[in-house]
Amino acid sequence: MIDTLQLLRNIGCFDSVAAAANIPLSRLTLLYAENGRGKTTLAAILRSLSTGDPIPIVERRRLAAQHPPHVIISCIGGPPDAMFQNGAWNRTLSEMVVFDDVFVDENIYSGLVVGSDHRQNLHELILGGQGVALNQQLQSLVTQVENHNSDLRRLGTAIPANERGDLSAGDFCELQQNANVDQEIQSAERNLAASREQDPIRNTPNFELLTLPSLDLVPIERVLQAGVPALDAAAVARVQAHLATAGAGAEEWVSSGMRRQDERPEEVDNQCVFCAQDLTGSPVITHYRAFFSDAYRDLQRDIRDASSTLSRNHSGDAAVTFERAVRVLMERRQFWSRFADITELAIDSTAIIDDWTLARDRVAALLNQKQAAPLDSIEIPDDIRAAAFAYETHRDAITTLNQELTLANQTIANVKERAATANPAVLTTVLSRLQAVKSRYTPATAELCDAYLAEKQAKAATEQQRNQARAALDQYRTNVFPNYEAAINRYLDLFNVGYRLDSVTATNTRGGPTCTYNVIINNTAIAVGGGNPRPGEHSFRNVLSAGDRNALALAFFLTSLELDSNRANKIVVIDDPVSSLDEHRSLTTVQQIRRLASQVSQVIVLSHTKPFLCRIWENADPMGRAALHIVRDGAGSTLESWDGDEDSITENDRRHATLREYLANGGQNEREIASSIRHLLEAFFRVAYPEYFPPGTYLGSFRAICDQRVGTAREILSQPDIDELRDIVEYANDFHHDTNQNWETTVINSTQLEGFVRRRYVEKHWACSITSGESYVAED
């Protein structure tokens, strides 16, 4: 990449120029020069550096110079700076390619002649040109058709290219309206996203349903209130009184002893299992046997089972598992929502687990209490019931959510099915078409398309008349011109040249391999091959205009770059590419250069046409652009930095800046501020109401139209808006020569001026411009 032009000495208009040594070049560098200032010389220097051929520099040695040319160019990366001294370079930049007159002369054509050396390098060509001789009637009709085509191109160009996408203006205008286009665009965007992530979609599982165990208080309450009916109250009181004297845990200890007592052999079953005393006639043994009967043991078992079930179903691990499941669910929802409408998951896992833990622990405490005193009937307090109810409410919500997840899984299954067979290219085309349909029927664009379709219909009627006249010429066309093959080149199609190349064939000659090809014009093949055409024949020299030939040359250059596998390392120099090109092709050239700047190492564009360079500058990456200006320096030229932004700013932009600065800081030329108000209003209405405020319209006549339409279906401005406009114009007219002869001496009140600058329509104009990012230029 070229960094700086360190020194240009004794070559062309450059005597000894080192001014550019401190002006770094960038990935996109623009260089403006007037005619005769040295632009072509600089292109020749860069061509010489790319090939190592000294002739382009030596033959431009500065007249009357005492010393030979000397050039130093600083490069980023690679060996030291490139230096031309004593008729030779110390290095070359073989990755640099140059488009200039020399490129055209060596590769495309010389003058009006395509030689064998040119045919070796020409690959694609498209042009619309004249057919065979037509009679006066046909020529008139052809001219009319061409006029229609010109109007169609003009009308088509007026339709924003970013709204048409890859559609031609005609195809775009023919699109049918779709009432559901917004929904279909959203669906297409999701389908396209899914098609690009087929593996993640295939491998990402569906939603797994959440599970919370039931906390049913009914069976627990049954256990808590259960007892042993066979025990009478006196027996229970007697046993409990006896147990009370035995200390803590006595009931469980005695219960264990009674089980052992009942298991003793018959011959010793009347002896106490603890002390071996005879139990015959014991006043409490009978009560103990009833107290600790099978019914009592069943009760204890029920208590244990209830505690075990609660512990098993509501363990801490269950809560952790639930929380992890919620987290996974949220992650999957985030993934799947990119491809389909997936319900929001409102799950407060912290609140659920808190309520769950509270209810579980309180119920467990009741069961522990029951286990310590099985015969006691325990009521469940209201606060525990409330805790259990809160938990069950969460369970109900989870059940409802699971139903939604089941439906979502059906949607996910559909997404997976579509993604498995989706074609991203097809889906991209579908999305692009839907977006074009939406753009087609916006109010402003619909108006442009209506005008285009009306012109297209008029052209069709003229073409029908032309075809009738052409029927007589079909035999002549068949005899003179061979059949042709269609081979449209993309770049030439972008330039809309109207011709194409056909039958590109390799041919071995004495001078080496060459190519012959046909130029297809109006469905007629014009051979471009060996030999010279006879006088009066159609040939390359007479079927292509200068602009068409230049478009062909530039298209070949861009094509060679596109097909170069080492394109990313290329330094591209383009010298005056818009010579003889019309506005459409100049715009296309601007667009292609911008794209090229992002695809190669560096692009350097040289031109005499400042507006062309400004169009490139405006939308280029500010961090990757630079601009230089070759200016007069005595009898020679020098290089200086060029502010592309300044030359891209319109007069209306400057007025904007002046008024904003005035409101912010004051203290400027107040007469200039006052004069600018009317210009800004005119610019605003020119853009806001183009139908009623065309160029040349005065605010007074526009206001009169608005007055006539107030309150009608065709109202333009409301009455308050008209009154506001009248007040502002009345004030602003004091500062214009066409409405006030003493405009230069009218006294200005600063407070009044500031008030009118802040009035609604002036600020509305600013808001319109700032919001759209455009500058509107009013005609004075």
Side-chain angles (χ1 to χ4, degrees):
M1 178 173 169
I2 297 176
D3 185 29
T4 56
L5 304 174
Q6 294 282 345
L7 178 65
L8 303 175
R9 178 177 293 164
N10 297 329
I11 176 170
C13 296
F14 303 111
D15 183 14
S16 182
V17 177
N22 296 320
I23 306 176
L25 278 60
S26 189
R27 184 168 186 176
L28 173 63
T29 297
L30 308 180
L31 194 147
Y32 168 68
E34 299 173 351
N35 286 317
R37 286 288 159 231
K39 173 185 67 64
T40 303
T41 297
L42 187 55
I45 293 172
L46 297 176
R47 173 173 288 281
S48 175
L49 175 59
S50 70
T51 63
D53 182 5
I55 296 302
I57 295 180
V58 172
E59 66 185 8
R60 287 175 171 79
R61 176 175 175 172
R62 184 167 174 76
L63 297 177
Q66 298 298 315
H67 301 284
H70 184 195
V71 179
I72 301 177
I73 296 178
S74 177
C75 304
I76 297 177
D81 293 344
M83 180 183 298
F84 184 88
Q85 196 170 25
N86 299 323
W89 289 97
N90 67 336
R91 61 169 293 190
T92 61
L93 288 180
S94 59
E95 296 301 329
M96 182 161 57
V97 291
V98 181
F99 176 83
D100 57 1
D101 290 341
V102 176
F103 172 85
V104 177
D105 186 69
E106 291 180 349
N107 298 283
I108 314 300
Y109 59 85
S110 295
L112 299 176
V113 177
V114 178
S116 59
D117 54 342
H118 304 126
R119 295 194 300 273
Q120 292 175 358
N121 297 319
L122 292 176
H123 296 291
E124 298 170 341
L125 184 68
I126 300 178
L127 171 72
Q130 297 295 327
V132 294
L134 298 172
N135 60 36
Q136 185 176 0
Q137 178 185 9
L138 181 57
Q139 285 290 356
S140 175
L141 291 171
V142 167
T143 300
Q144 292 180 42
V145 171
E146 290 303 319
N147 289 337
H148 285 307
N149 288 334
S150 177
D151 290 339
L152 285 173
R153 286 193 293 271
R154 174 180 55 81
L155 293 171
T157 302
I159 300 172
N162 62 326
E163 293 187 4
R164 291 191 287 108
D166 59 354
L167 294 175
S168 66
D171 291 340
F172 178 76
C173 292
E174 295 288 353
L175 292 173
Q176 298 299 308
Q177 193 165 12
N178 183 348
N180 300 319
V181 67
D182 289 330
Q183 295 88 336
E184 292 184 18
I185 286 176
Q186 183 184 44
S187 177
E189 289 173 339
R190 286 174 170 172
N191 290 339
L192 178 59
S195 72
R196 291 172 174 169
E197 298 191 43
Q198 293 181 352
D199 288 342
I201 286 176
R202 181 174 58 254
N203 297 328
T204 301
N206 293 2
F207 292 127
E208 295 181 1
L209 304 186
L210 296 176
T211 301
L212 282 177
S214 173
L215 186 59
D216 188 358
L217 292 183
V218 174
I220 294 175
E221 187 173 28
R222 188 182 304 117
V223 170
L224 291 175
Q225 294 182 355
V228 180
L231 287 175
D232 56 39
V236 170
R238 181 78 180 271
V239 171
Q240 288 179 338
H242 187 265
L243 292 175
T245 63
E251 184 173 338
E252 185 177 357
W253 177 74
V254 174
S255 173
S256 175
M258 289 305 299
R259 285 196 302 274
R260 295 179 180 276
Q261 183 68 40
D262 292 340
E263 293 170 358
R264 290 171 64 81
E266 182 178 355
E267 60 272 17
V268 292
D269 63 348
N270 286 330
Q271 294 181 4
C272 178
V273 70
F274 299 112
C275 62
Q277 293 185 20
D278 187 4
L279 297 176
T280 302
S282 171
V284 296
I285 190 61
T286 301
H287 299 314
Y288 275 142
R289 281 199 168 96
F291 191 88
F292 296 106
S293 63
D294 289 340
Y296 182 77
R297 295 192 183 101
D298 290 342
L299 174 60
Q300 289 182 314
R301 185 188 65 246
D302 291 344
I303 296 171
R304 288 194 302 272
D305 290 346
S307 297
S308 176
T309 300
L310 180 68
S311 177
R312 181 175 61 254
N313 293 341
H314 299 270
S315 66
D317 289 343
V320 172
T321 300
F322 174 78
E323 193 168 22
R324 182 169 56 249
V326 169
R327 183 172 62 254
V328 171
L329 197 65
M330 293 296 186
E331 292 172 353
R332 292 181 186 172
R333 193 265 168 196
Q334 184 177 6
F335 175 81
W336 288 117
S337 62
R338 293 162 50 200
F339 312 108
D341 286 327
I342 303 297
T343 184
E344 291 287 344
L345 304 180
I347 307 174
D348 188 348
S349 58
T350 301
I352 293 174
I353 292 175
D354 288 346
D355 289 346
W356 185 4
T357 302
L358 176 63
R360 179 198 63 198
D361 292 347
R362 298 295 301 277
V363 171
L366 289 178
L367 289 173
N368 290 338
Q369 180 183 345
K370 179 68 174 178
Q371 195 164 17
L375 294 178
D376 290 347
S377 177
I378 300 176
E379 294 290 337
I380 299 178
D382 290 341
D383 60 334
I384 296 180
R385 291 183 185 275
F389 178 78
Y391 171 73
E392 287 297 321
T393 300
H394 290 309
R395 286 190 71 248
D396 292 341
I398 294 299
T399 300
T400 301
L401 177 63
N402 284 339
Q403 295 173 355
E404 296 176 355
L405 293 178
T406 300
L407 294 176
N409 282 336
Q410 296 175 3
T411 301
I412 291 171
N414 294 334
V415 171
K416 288 187 174 185
E417 182 177 356
R418 288 195 302 268
T421 58
N423 185 327
V426 172
L427 293 174
T428 299
T429 301
V430 170
L431 177 59
S432 177
R433 183 60 56 90
L434 288 170
Q435 291 170 334
V437 169
K438 181 176 180 179
S439 299
R440 161 66 177 85
Y441 288 95
T442 56
T445 304
E447 183 178 348
L448 296 174
C449 287
D450 290 343
Y452 183 93
L453 292 175
E455 182 64 24
K456 185 176 180 180
Q457 186 176 6
K459 175 192 171 184
T462 305
E463 284 180 328
Q464 186 175 5
Q465 301 175 39
R466 180 205 61 190
N467 292 338
Q468 294 172 355
R470 178 174 285 171
L473 300 175
D474 285 345
Q475 184 61 43
Y476 173 78
R477 186 188 299 278
T478 302
N479 294 335
V480 173
F481 299 106
N483 294 330
Y484 62 92
E485 296 178 0
I488 297 176
N489 176 269
R490 184 172 64 85
Y491 283 103
L492 290 177
D493 190 37
L494 289 173
F495 286 120
N496 196 28
V497 292
Y499 64 82
R500 54 193 171 125
L501 291 184
D502 186 28
S503 300
V504 179
T505 306
T507 304
N508 292 324
T509 66
R510 291 183 180 180
T514 66
C515 291
T516 59
Y517 56 90
N518 296 332
V519 177
I520 306 300
I521 304 172
N522 291 340
N523 297 335
T524 302
I526 307 298
V528 181
N532 295 320
R534 295 192 300 270
E537 278 190 343
H538 290 106
S539 64
F540 181 85
R541 70 167 64 222
N542 56 42
V543 298
L544 300 182
S545 68
D548 294 330
R549 292 192 297 271
N550 285 348
L552 169 64
L554 183 57
F556 172 73
F557 180 77
L558 294 174
T559 300
S560 66
L561 280 174
E562 180 175 318
L563 299 177
D564 192 333
S565 60
N566 196 34
R567 176 178 56 185
N569 297 320
K570 291 291 184 182
I571 299 173
V572 181
V573 179
I574 302 177
D575 181 17
D576 245 346
V578 293
S579 176
S580 300
L581 296 185
D582 59 22
E583 180 180 357
H584 165 72
R585 296 178 190 174
S586 296
L587 174 59
T588 301
T589 303
V590 168
Q591 294 168 338
Q592 294 305 314
I593 288 175
R594 288 201 206 106
R595 293 190 181 98
L596 190 62
S598 65
Q599 298 169 354
V600 300
S601 175
Q602 186 177 31
V603 174
I604 301 174
V605 184
L606 306 91
S607 180
H608 296 307
T609 309
K610 185 179 292 185
F612 166 71
L613 293 176
C614 286
R615 293 188 80 170
I616 299 175
W617 177 268
E618 286 172 357
N619 292 320
D621 179 8
M623 303 304 295
R625 66 184 182 182
L628 291 84
H629 187 187
I630 303 179
V631 297
R632 180 179 177 181
D633 183 20
S637 298
T638 188
L639 286 162
E640 63 181 28
S641 181
W642 175 41
D643 188 350
D645 288 329
E646 181 65 24
D647 279 316
S648 299
I649 293 175
T650 66
E651 183 62 29
N652 201 49
D653 293 330
R654 292 187 178 92
R655 290 182 180 130
H656 269 278
T658 300
L659 264 66
R660 287 195 297 268
E661 177 65 20
Y662 174 75
L663 287 181
N665 301 314
Q668 298 188 25
N669 186 331
E670 292 186 336
R671 193 165 303 280
E672 179 184 358
I673 298 298
S675 174
S676 296
I677 293 176
R678 197 176 82 180
H679 292 305
L680 288 173
L681 285 175
E682 291 171 343
F684 169 70
F685 288 115
R686 186 78 43 76
V687 175
Y689 304 101
E691 181 179 356
Y692 310 109
F693 204 98
T697 302
Y698 291 101
L699 286 170
S701 58
F702 172 71
R703 193 176 66 242
I705 296 175
C706 294
D707 280 330
Q708 295 171 4
R709 297 189 179 183
V710 170
T712 70
R714 301 177 62 193
E715 180 178 282
I716 302 172
L717 296 178
S718 66
Q719 189 61 53
D721 285 343
I722 295 174
D723 294 341
E724 174 80 358
L725 176 60
R726 180 181 291 106
D727 292 346
I728 297 175
V729 172
E730 180 181 1
Y731 174 78
N733 281 343
D734 284 343
F735 307 98
H736 288 266
H737 66 86
D738 60 339
T739 50
N740 181 10
Q741 293 182 351
N742 300 319
W743 66 280
E744 293 181 307
T745 58
T746 298
V747 177
I748 297 177
N749 181 287
S750 298
T751 303
Q752 183 184 37
L753 174 61
E754 181 179 355
F756 274 98
V757 171
R758 293 188 184 277
R759 292 291 279 266
R760 182 159 60 95
Y761 265 114
V762 179
E763 291 191 329
K764 189 174 184 180
H765 173 51
W766 298 354
C768 179
S769 299
I770 294 170
T771 301
S772 65
E774 300 176 352
S775 297
Y776 306 129
V777 182
E779 296 184 8
D780 294 337

